Amino acid sequence: MFGYMGTILHINLKTQKITEKQIRPEFCKTYIGGTGFATRLLYEHSEARLDPLSPDNPLIFSLGPFAGTSIAVGDKYAVAAKSPLTGFIGDSLGGSFWSRELKKAGYDALVIHKKAKQPTYLYIDDGSVQLRDAKILSGKSSWETEEILREELGDEQTKIASIGIAGEKLIPFANISNDMRTAGRTGMGAVMGSKNLKAIAIRGTKTIEVANLEKLLEKSLLLYESAQGPATEKYRILGTTANVLVFNAIGNLPTKNFQQTTFRGAEQISAELIMEKYVTNIVGCSSCPIACDHNVAITARPYAGTATSIDYESIFALGSNVGVDDAKSVIKAIELCDIYGLDTISTGVVISWAMECYERELISKNETEGLDLTFGNTKTIHKLIPMIARKEGLGRLLSLGTKKASEKIGKGSDHFAMHIKGLELPGYDIRGLKTAALGWAVAARGACHNRSGAYDYDIGGKVDRFKADQSRGKLAMESEDQEAIFDSLIWCKFIRRCFEDFHREASTFYNLVTGFDIKPHDLKRTGERIVNLKKVYNIREGWTRSDDHLPPRVMKDPIPDGFGKGSKVSSEEFNLMLTSYYKARGWTKYGLPRKAKLVELGLEDTVKGIGVA
Amino acid sequence: MKNEYIVCNPEKCVGCEICEIICSAIKENGFNPVYSRIHTAHIPIYSSISSLSVACLHCEEPACVRVCPRHALTKDEKTGVVVVNTEFEGDPNGCNVPCAWCVVACEFGAILLHPGYKKIPAYTSTTVAVVCDLCPENRYDGDPPCVKFCPKGALSVSTLEKEAKQLNKMDSKKIFAQLTNSRKNSKTLFERIGRTPLSITEKSNKALRET
């Protein structure tokens, strides 16, 4: 089989049994790879309604057919498990060398079952798979872990994905980090930690073969050239952080726990300023012609020696969202999240929620143990991040995530708990992006700008972003299906503007790699299939229509400032859009897939598990 | 003799390793950076990781050519390219044992041993040394594939004379300011994300200094 290595590796950490299973071409055609594979494997290998942190929750890493080939931005992996943050499907993507190395080692996916008795790390060296003692790695950050393991294994080229302290302490928004990139969202690091698995080190030397090499190289070259054009200019020059000033201007920069949409100190945390003062160099993931990753370093006191890499979501979450207008301390906070292994978005939003509680006197000074949680207090933020990772003091409460913390505090604090399904909102104010509001409310993993790109319609001006109508259901669906294909092939979404007709071009690349004959509409169907399967999984885990919700603030508090002043998503508007979405999907008005739909998509075997009509 | 070689501009290189992927595709008919003739080193320089791709420099007096006990490596008098003679049968000057003297001798880690490059029935080992040959047969608009495919334009085919001219043009004051500015925090970063250059380079460096 071309493009795939044809093998899935199953590792049982309890019995230390290691089995290889071959995959059939039909399976590849049906689920493509990446998120598609991961969702299917998760559905098959887990029982309903598990505790996400129990040993029975399998952790799945999977690759797409593009990983390791010459196709631009194809080197990514998907990781999936039941999320400890949301209780629904948790899936996240990570970039760069690790994914290519896993493929070269000869595997398309890793399925990790059960729990190891003591801290363990996994070492895959081509066909040889070993479980090794990881006691010395306890309490080490991902960066340290990579360094120690490279030394221990004696191979500079070993690629390592690992968890930090947060993952070991089972913080539900802990990340998995590799090559200075992270698979951040939905707490996959905590699932890895719950298995006592500290790291996965891989070295592979196998060759990845494709069906039509000559043609593929020709097409790849065109894509490289296209990726140097205006379609990716934002990412290449200022990086995603360019959004800060743009969003501030259009009233879309969440500020002070999503209260406002413009930030007075936006210029102080803008890409322009950071670029001039702190960026040391720009690097790319493997096989990436865009290179968006801006490495930063600080040489002046008090943060001298701080070095990390930045992007818009981190800058918003630990900057404007918590009222910090000092780029230095934002960078420091991002570095702390990276060291402790926390998702920056969730960490930033849970801190901003606590700050608003403090402002409204829902949390007293007694409960904070003397910490001053005023918006913009950088010292507190720098103290809180390690406290969250170690579950100390106030960190114990915040480490539950925004949803559970607000349930615990009560007193109406859920009104401004900015999460959907438990996953904290990324840096867009959806009160003024109504298509995005719908897209995020229905996304299987919760509030996410990567599983639904519906904000492109709003910000791109294709629709009136302050209005809600029935057409939005179809737009949200199309966007979600397309993102599912991106996540399965796996293609980084930053390349999306390089395509004119995505499905046609994607199927061309896919066919060149695999030698299959997949038509554009087949691919579209596959996207729909994957989204439906995620939905089926969620229903099995107890999803109801009330889980497709928006945070109360989005529905009740109109935007107080900026371009979108006065806008909110009223419950009538939301219900209108939600119904239109379910209708476009061919689901019932309660949001359940019909049997006929699932059969049509080739998901007959899932019908029984959820009991739909 | 032209003495051309592939040179990488570290200011443009982003470390994506696309050159490795392309090289292996052209030379091995599959994607496998392990067998690429060009390698990307990720080197911590002061406050950040800099990346730089290195292929055979086709030195004027190549150490690899000198040390080869079988005289399998030669420097082509016309093109200036270092050539590994893999034709063994009937020819005593063939590379067919993994002695790796050339690998040790090369200061730049530009030579690699390729298992199974060419099957020679009479010998148990099929390992041979391979070096960048500037792809005379696989040119894209006159450029070697890695140069053509490099998305950032960091690679080019150049000669020592051309490079010397380029270096003279660089603003030394600016470079000095950059270096001194970032040197202050170099140590912590070195410790944290410090990756040494390709280990093979280190080893060969050491070996050469001792001899």
Side-chain angles (χ1 to χ4, degrees):
Chain A
M1 212 165 19
F2 294 113
Y4 296 94
M5 305 311 277
T7 312
I8 293 174
L9 185 67
H10 289 264
I11 296 148
N12 188 323
L13 291 174
K14 192 179 166 198
T15 59
Q16 305 216 339
K17 201 176 156 199
I18 288 150
T19 35
E20 287 185 358
K21 278 198 183 138
Q22 306 304 316
I23 46 173
R24 286 168 297 128
E26 285 72 42
F27 182 73
C28 299
K29 281 182 195 167
T30 319
Y31 297 103
I32 304 178
T35 303
F37 274 13
T39 308
R40 182 72 218 188
L41 291 169
L42 178 64
Y43 183 82
E44 278 177 13
H45 292 284
S46 65
E47 284 162 28
R49 311 217 174 187
L50 288 169
D51 171 9
L53 296 177
S54 76
D56 294 329
N57 186 15
L59 179 67
I60 294 145
F61 292 86
S62 68
L63 305 175
F66 290 0
T69 67
S70 64
I71 297 173
V73 295
D75 280 3
K76 291 195 106 172
Y77 65 90
V79 48
K82 185 175 176 179
S83 165
L85 195 57
T86 66
F88 297 119
I89 187 168
D91 69 320
S92 197
L93 299 188
S96 214
F97 300 98
W98 190 85
S99 48
R100 180 202 280 179
E101 210 66 27
L102 177 58
K103 197 156 190 180
K104 283 196 298 172
Y107 302 108
D108 287 313
L110 296 181
V111 186
I112 295 160
H113 304 272
K114 305 293 177 190
K115 178 185 178 178
K117 280 194 194 95
Q118 59 218 27
T120 306
Y121 78 90
L122 182 65
Y123 180 42
I124 303 174
D125 185 3
D126 278 328
S128 118
V129 182
Q130 300 169 27
L131 290 163
R132 302 170 72 137
D133 184 36
K135 262 187 208 120
I136 51 158
L137 298 172
S138 291
K140 296 274 190 276
S141 75
S142 293
W143 296 342
E144 288 166 329
T145 303
E146 287 189 27
E147 211 176 326
I148 294 168
L149 282 187
R150 280 204 185 92
E151 199 150 302
E152 181 174 319
L153 298 167
D155 191 341
E156 277 298 314
Q157 303 287 330
T158 309
K159 304 292 187 251
I160 295 140
S162 61
I163 53 170
I165 296 162
E168 289 176 35
K169 292 268 181 190
L170 314 183
I171 309 299
F173 43 92
N175 65 26
I176 297 173
S177 169
N178 63 293
D179 310 295
M180 289 190 80
R181 308 290 188 282
T182 51
R185 306 231 69 193
T186 66
M188 295 298 99
V191 177
M192 196 159 152
S194 75
K195 302 197 164 309
N196 255 334
L197 184 65
K198 175 73 181 174
I200 303 175
I202 305 180
R203 179 73 164 119
T205 57
K206 290 183 183 153
T207 303
I208 299 156
E209 283 171 353
V210 294
N212 191 338
L213 184 69
E214 215 166 295
K215 203 75 195 290
L216 183 67
L217 286 180
E218 216 173 273
K219 290 282 283 180
S220 302
L221 181 60
L222 293 176
L223 193 56
Y224 292 164
E225 280 165 3
S226 163
Q228 299 307 312
T232 61
E233 199 173 356
K234 177 177 110 184
Y235 307 117
R236 280 184 287 122
I237 297 171
L238 287 174
T240 52
T241 321
N243 283 350
V244 172
L245 286 188
V246 177
F247 283 8
N248 195 44
I250 64 169
N252 188 33
L253 181 68
T255 301
K256 296 190 179 171
N257 196 31
F258 293 77
Q259 295 184 53
Q260 298 151 15
T261 59
T262 56
F263 183 46
R264 218 188 276 168
E267 277 188 17
Q268 304 306 315
I269 56 168
S270 68
E272 288 77 0
L273 181 130
I274 293 174
M275 192 74 183
E276 195 187 315
K277 285 195 167 171
Y278 306 112
V279 171
T280 51
N281 69 345
I282 299 171
V283 297
C285 291
S286 59
S287 86
C288 177
I290 302 170
C292 69
D293 194 23
H294 286 52
N295 284 350
V296 290
I298 303 174
T299 50
R301 277 169 193 273
Y303 305 124
T306 303
T308 184
S309 84
I310 54 156
D311 61 73
Y312 166 68
E313 293 297 338
S314 307
I315 296 272
F316 121 81
L318 296 157
S320 64
N321 183 46
V322 287
V324 175
D325 59 358
D326 174 23
K328 286 196 298 294
S329 46
V330 179
I331 291 170
K332 180 71 195 172
I334 295 170
E335 191 207 34
L336 284 170
C337 282
D338 285 348
I339 289 173
Y340 287 94
L342 289 164
D343 174 23
T344 48
I345 303 178
S346 290
T347 309
V349 175
V350 77
I351 291 177
S352 72
W353 168 83
M355 287 178 152
E356 190 164 351
C357 284
Y358 187 76
E359 198 177 71
R360 290 167 188 258
E361 294 173 356
L362 303 180
I363 298 179
S364 65
K365 218 161 190 170
N366 265 343
E367 283 169 284
T368 68
E369 293 172 4
L371 279 176
D372 175 20
L373 280 168
T374 322
F375 276 110
N377 190 335
T378 57
K379 272 191 187 143
T380 305
I381 294 165
H382 295 162
K383 260 188 210 154
L384 262 178
I385 292 168
M387 281 165 72
I388 291 173
R390 295 182 192 281
K391 289 193 185 174
E392 289 167 359
L394 183 64
R396 185 174 286 277
L397 172 73
L398 301 191
S399 71
L400 296 171
T402 312
K403 183 185 179 187
K404 282 180 191 152
S406 72
E407 280 166 5
K408 201 166 178 190
I409 288 288
K411 304 179 204 164
S413 65
D414 62 323
H415 179 80
F416 48 86
M418 302 309 285
H419 69 85
I420 294 173
K421 295 189 178 75
L423 186 67
E424 284 78 2
L425 259 68
Y428 299 78
D429 200 307
I430 49 176
R431 287 177 290 185
L433 304 173
K434 293 197 174 164
T435 323
L438 172 65
W440 295 7
V442 297
R445 80 169 182 178
C448 177
H449 59 298
N450 280 328
R451 296 295 172 271
S452 170
Y455 60 87
D456 263 358
Y457 300 112
D458 294 321
I459 296 177
K462 285 171 207 148
V463 294
D464 182 349
R465 68 185 174 107
F466 299 114
K467 277 210 181 106
D469 56 50
Q470 286 185 330
S471 69
R472 304 302 165 91
K474 192 153 184 288
L475 292 180
M477 168 188 153
E478 279 171 2
S479 164
E480 203 179 4
D481 288 354
Q482 185 172 319
E483 304 287 329
I485 303 169
F486 265 107
D487 293 342
S488 301
L489 281 170
I490 303 173
W491 239 336
C492 174
K493 291 181 191 82
F494 290 175
I495 200 95
R496 67 185 184 277
R497 293 201 184 91
C498 293
F499 304 114
E500 275 168 13
D501 180 350
F502 170 72
H503 293 96
R504 190 174 52 78
E505 291 171 62
S507 58
T508 311
F509 271 107
Y510 184 60
N511 292 337
L512 286 175
V513 170
T514 57
F516 297 155
D517 184 24
I518 298 288
K519 299 276 183 300
H521 63 264
D522 295 334
L523 208 59
K524 232 176 192 168
R525 210 3 84 93
T526 306
E528 197 182 347
R529 181 180 305 122
I530 293 163
V531 174
N532 273 274
L533 185 61
K534 283 185 182 177
K535 180 77 178 187
V536 167
Y537 178 86
N538 277 0
I539 292 170
R540 202 181 71 176
E541 300 306 314
W543 177 94
T544 59
R545 182 170 167 155
S546 63
D547 287 308
D548 282 356
H549 69 97
L550 288 173
R553 164 158 286 160
V554 173
M555 302 179 82
K556 287 180 185 143
D557 301 357
I559 298 176
D561 60 343
F563 189 74
K565 195 171 177 179
S567 181
K568 64 171 183 175
V569 186
S570 70
S571 64
E572 291 81 42
E573 283 177 320
F574 179 61
N575 282 332
L576 177 81
M577 291 195 294
L578 192 61
T579 312
S580 75
Y581 171 81
Y582 290 156
K583 205 175 161 196
R585 280 253 175 250
W587 295 347
T588 67
K589 63 179 175 176
Y590 301 108
L592 300 173
R594 288 198 171 86
K595 189 179 170 187
K597 186 81 205 171
L598 295 177
V599 173
E600 180 195 322
L601 291 167
L603 295 169
E604 300 90 350
D605 60 320
T606 64
V607 173
K608 219 176 162 188
I610 55 168
V612 287
Chain B
M1 211 186 281
K2 280 196 286 187
N3 261 330
E4 282 184 331
Y5 63 101
I6 287 168
V7 61
C8 175
N9 180 348
E11 295 209 334
K12 287 185 182 168
C13 181
V14 293
C16 64
E17 298 192 358
I18 281 176
C19 48
E20 294 191 11
I21 284 282
I22 297 301
C23 181
S24 63
I26 298 283
K27 293 289 185 192
E28 308 284 329
N29 287 322
F31 298 106
N32 192 348
V34 175
Y35 301 142
S36 165
R37 275 68 161 162
I38 185 165
H39 283 283
T40 308
H42 303 277
I43 311 159
I45 296 180
Y46 302 121
S47 64
S48 58
I49 291 180
S50 283
S51 303
L52 181 73
S53 292
V54 186
C56 179
L57 299 170
H58 303 296
C59 312
E60 285 191 15
E61 285 183 31
C64 53
V65 170
R66 272 205 201 172
V67 298
C68 181
R70 299 185 77 103
H71 307 292
L73 279 84
T74 47
K75 192 167 163 72
D76 192 297
E77 281 181 12
K78 266 187 202 156
T79 59
V81 169
V82 173
V83 185
V84 184
N85 184 6
T86 55
E87 296 297 324
F88 173 72
E89 280 167 294
D91 184 354
N93 299 338
C95 173
N96 69 333
V97 279
C99 72
W101 285 22
C102 50
V103 176
V104 178
C106 179
E107 279 192 72
F108 308 99
I111 300 186
L112 84 141
L113 289 185
H114 192 311
Y117 181 62
K118 203 158 198 181
K119 293 237 156 60
I120 306 161
Y123 281 78
T124 49
S125 166
T126 55
T127 310
V128 290
V130 285
V131 293
C132 167
D133 61 358
L134 294 173
C135 287
E137 293 116 30
N138 293 306
R139 293 276 169 140
Y140 284 74
D141 309 329
D143 286 329
C146 55
V147 174
K148 178 72 183 172
F149 277 73
C150 177
K152 296 294 177 193
L155 297 176
S156 56
V157 178
S158 187
T159 60
L160 191 59
E161 290 78 15
K162 270 192 214 166
E163 283 307 295
K165 262 186 213 163
Q166 280 290 325
L167 280 169
N168 280 342
K169 277 188 214 154
M170 283 166 87
D171 187 346
S172 55
K173 259 188 198 162
K174 194 179 142 200
I175 295 170
F176 183 73
Q178 272 178 4
L179 293 184
T180 46
N181 198 16
S182 49
R183 184 172 292 172
K184 286 171 199 157
N185 62 349
S186 63
K187 204 180 161 223
T188 40
L189 201 114
F190 226 102
E191 282 165 4
R192 183 159 359 96
I193 42 179
R195 296 180 196 170
T196 46
L198 289 174
S199 54
I200 207 159
T201 317
E202 265 196 349
K203 263 185 225 159
S204 50
N205 264 341
K206 210 174 152 196
L208 212 75
R209 254 178 250 119
E210 279 168 3
T211 48

